[in-house]
Amino acid sequence: MDDPYAPAREALAGEGLGSGGPDDGDADGADPAVLAARLDDADPLAGFADRYRIPDDLLYMDGNSLGPASDAALASLDRVVDEWRDLLIAGWTDADPPWFEVGERLGDALAPLVGADPSEVVVGNSITVNIHTLVGTFLDELLAGNGPDREGFERADGEWAPGGDTEVDPAILVNELDFPSDHYAIRAQLRQRGIDPDEKLRVVPSRDGRTIDPGDVEAALDAHDDVGIVFMPTALYRSGQLFDVERITEAAHEAGAYAGFDAAHSAGAVPHEFDAAGVDFAVWCTYKYLNAGPGSIGALFVAERHHGLTPALAGWWGHEKATQFEMNMTYTPADSAGAWQIGTPPLLAAAPLEGAVELLREAGIKRLREKSLALTDFLIALVDDRLPGVSVGTPRDRDARGGHVALEHSEAERLSAALKDRGVVVDFRPPNVVRVCPAAPYTSFADVLEVVDEIEAILDGGAHEKYATSEGGVT
């Protein structure tokens, strides 16, 4: 079969699981267990699951919050621990490879996953710190009169003065379904420049409470000529909607604004082409689909045309490497994305990423995306067929779907708790979403079927009704 995952796509795009399949000619085509077995037997990535450490009694569907440990990640962590023990401070120069280059070296490894040149990606800081320093950097550029410079876009000409008025403070365009921390950081950066965030943080509303229409982003840019930065997620954390990065970037540049993205909920699961799309900057974490461990180091992208800018949050690890240890009091930023590093990198928070990302690169980001889509196709088709009281809040359009599926139910919190007691690890997002993430490297189609079996059993038997609800928060 040319496409080993085609049956999952056909099950969702056709008449559903209960209709049989065009290749079966018998009742087997209507049997989800048979379909799951066919898909698993043909899956070229099936063997990767054995390289991840998930307890046998768990069905782990929460990799969009925290990816599991892999043998490769643990091995790279163990190596750095051994180097620390044996080399002590000499590890910065004598480890193999030297610790001194960890940010740039791991940036090189991540660059192909986001469609960037190695010099444009670096690991360092945390995702929220990276939002602070990058949004702050580009706000400073706008306040200095400099806008995005991108060849081929008439209004992205390197000069920023909305309506010709150089006294207008720049606004930042976000959306109402963003992860809250993004807004906290952006508001702080506006306040630090004497800009009122209540006036200059412009928020694109959602039409349905689940998704953001890209046309509404464009309409907001048309309505407000003071927008200097468009900062959007690549994928929404609650519904899993995947954004059209190229379309949003083009709209931003045509409006004379920089285009920045939070790729936390897609990096490692969805291939990106930040360079080709003309993205100005992006941030992401490495503990979700990149599987580098709890609180692992952050990562960022800065387009080459912006290298040489002075970061808003300058620190000695962002200094040019050649003279970093001359201890000059004058800061000279590296001429690469490495300039946006701040403090000494936490080696034990970075080490697992080395093994984790190599495992993903071995699998291939395009193949991972193909399997991810097939897994979510299969999940959505099963929900349609088996769970009449559950609705799908994630776009069915594959181009607009990230790596997880938002299942909506009025008793979502209780359902989530009941699933966890049965060994199915999912998470709850208020008010009514159970997020289910069948991550491609370690999830089988049989796993997806078992999750739906458990949900069906819980709801049919009312097992969720014994669980209390909380006053809010997440699980």
Side-chain angles (χ1 to χ4, degrees):
M1 181 184 297
D2 292 337
D3 180 357
Y5 306 123
R9 184 177 65 251
E10 291 164 359
L12 182 58
E15 298 179 9
L17 291 166
S19 63
D23 299 327
D24 295 288
D26 56 34
D28 283 350
D31 186 343
V34 172
L35 178 55
R38 284 177 57 199
L39 287 161
D40 284 331
D41 287 345
D43 179 15
L45 299 180
F48 279 83
D50 294 335
R51 299 161 75 174
Y52 288 85
R53 303 295 99 199
I54 299 174
D56 291 339
D57 59 346
L58 290 184
L59 278 170
Y60 193 70
M61 297 284 160
D62 206 10
N64 55 322
S65 287
L66 177 65
S70 64
D71 292 339
L74 294 173
S76 56
L77 174 59
D78 287 345
R79 191 197 74 236
V80 172
V81 171
D82 289 344
E83 290 169 344
W84 174 29
R85 182 191 61 232
D86 298 339
L87 297 174
L88 295 171
I89 197 167
W92 290 106
T93 54
D94 297 349
D96 185 18
W99 301 344
F100 184 59
E101 303 165 351
V102 65
E104 290 78 8
R105 178 168 52 81
L106 292 177
D108 291 355
L110 288 173
L113 303 183
V114 296
D117 184 84
S119 71
E120 297 176 312
V121 180
V122 73
V123 303
N125 318 315
S126 71
I127 183 171
T128 303
V129 169
N130 287 333
I131 294 172
H132 275 283
T133 187
L134 285 167
V135 167
T137 298
F138 287 97
L139 272 175
D140 288 343
E141 281 296 287
L142 292 166
L143 291 169
N146 301 321
D149 185 1
R150 187 186 175 199
E151 185 178 354
F153 286 82
E154 183 178 352
R155 294 184 65 185
D157 58 2
E159 298 178 1
W160 192 83
D165 187 351
T166 57
E167 298 301 315
V168 173
D169 285 331
I172 299 178
L173 187 67
V174 294
N175 76 80
E176 72 167 319
L177 301 180
D178 284 323
F179 194 75
S181 185
D182 292 17
H183 288 207
Y184 304 162
I186 293 169
R187 282 179 165 269
Q189 289 302 311
L190 288 167
R191 286 196 305 270
Q192 288 174 18
R193 287 156 181 81
I195 302 172
D196 185 352
D198 289 337
E199 293 185 3
K200 292 295 185 172
L201 186 66
R202 305 205 181 280
V203 183
V204 177
S206 170
R207 300 184 185 190
D208 58 10
R210 298 173 174 140
T211 61
I212 299 295
D213 191 312
D216 291 340
V217 176
E218 294 163 338
L221 288 168
D222 288 340
H224 303 287
D225 66 358
D226 60 349
V227 173
I229 297 174
V230 175
F231 191 75
M232 294 286 158
T234 52
L236 289 175
Y237 80 96
R238 184 182 280 110
S239 72
Q241 177 195 3
L242 188 67
F243 281 38
D244 186 334
V245 169
E246 185 172 12
R247 177 176 174 179
I248 291 172
T249 300
E250 182 173 336
H253 287 166
E254 289 180 348
Y258 292 107
F261 291 88
D262 176 344
H265 286 271
S266 62
V270 177
H272 289 297
E273 295 295 337
F274 288 160
D275 261 344
V279 171
D280 293 293
F281 67 96
V283 300
W284 60 96
C285 57
T286 63
Y287 44 79
K288 299 181 189 297
Y289 293 108
L290 289 164
N291 310 309
S296 54
I297 199 164
L300 61 87
F301 161 89
V302 179
E304 183 179 8
R305 60 187 174 275
H306 302 307
H307 294 174
L309 298 179
T310 298
L313 304 181
W316 89 300
W317 213 261
H319 197 283
E320 65 175 8
K321 286 289 184 270
T323 61
Q324 181 173 342
F325 279 87
E326 291 181 6
M327 302 300 183
N328 296 317
M329 289 299 182
T330 300
Y331 172 70
T332 304
D335 192 21
S336 69
W340 281 270
Q341 297 172 96
I342 300 172
T344 305
L347 263 293
L348 299 184
L353 180 59
E354 180 181 343
V357 74
E358 285 308 312
L359 199 53
L360 297 183
R361 291 181 65 177
E362 181 184 340
I365 188 64
K366 291 184 178 179
R367 287 202 304 177
L368 289 166
R369 174 62 172 162
E370 290 167 359
K371 182 179 177 182
S372 173
L373 284 169
L375 287 163
T376 53
D377 282 341
F378 188 47
L379 174 56
I380 294 170
L382 286 168
V383 170
D384 289 345
D385 191 54
R386 305 263 301 279
L387 305 176
V390 176
S391 58
V392 174
T394 301
R396 292 167 182 267
D397 178 358
R398 297 172 120 232
D399 290 337
R401 190 194 320 155
H404 75 267
V405 175
L407 302 184
E408 298 177 346
H409 189 271
S410 59
E411 298 286 353
E413 185 176 8
R414 288 187 169 111
L415 174 59
S416 175
L419 284 167
K420 287 186 179 180
D421 276 355
R422 293 178 178 226
V424 181
V425 183
V426 295
D427 64 19
F428 163 67
R429 291 293 179 265
N432 66 338
V433 171
V434 175
R435 297 192 307 179
V436 180
C437 178
Y442 48 84
T443 306
S444 70
F445 291 88
D447 291 338
V448 172
L449 176 59
E450 189 173 351
V451 169
V452 174
D453 286 344
E454 294 288 359
I455 295 173
E456 184 177 42
I458 290 168
L459 295 178
D460 285 352
H464 60 295
E465 295 173 0
K466 71 177 184 180
Y467 293 88
T469 57
S470 68
E471 294 299 318
V474 299
T475 59

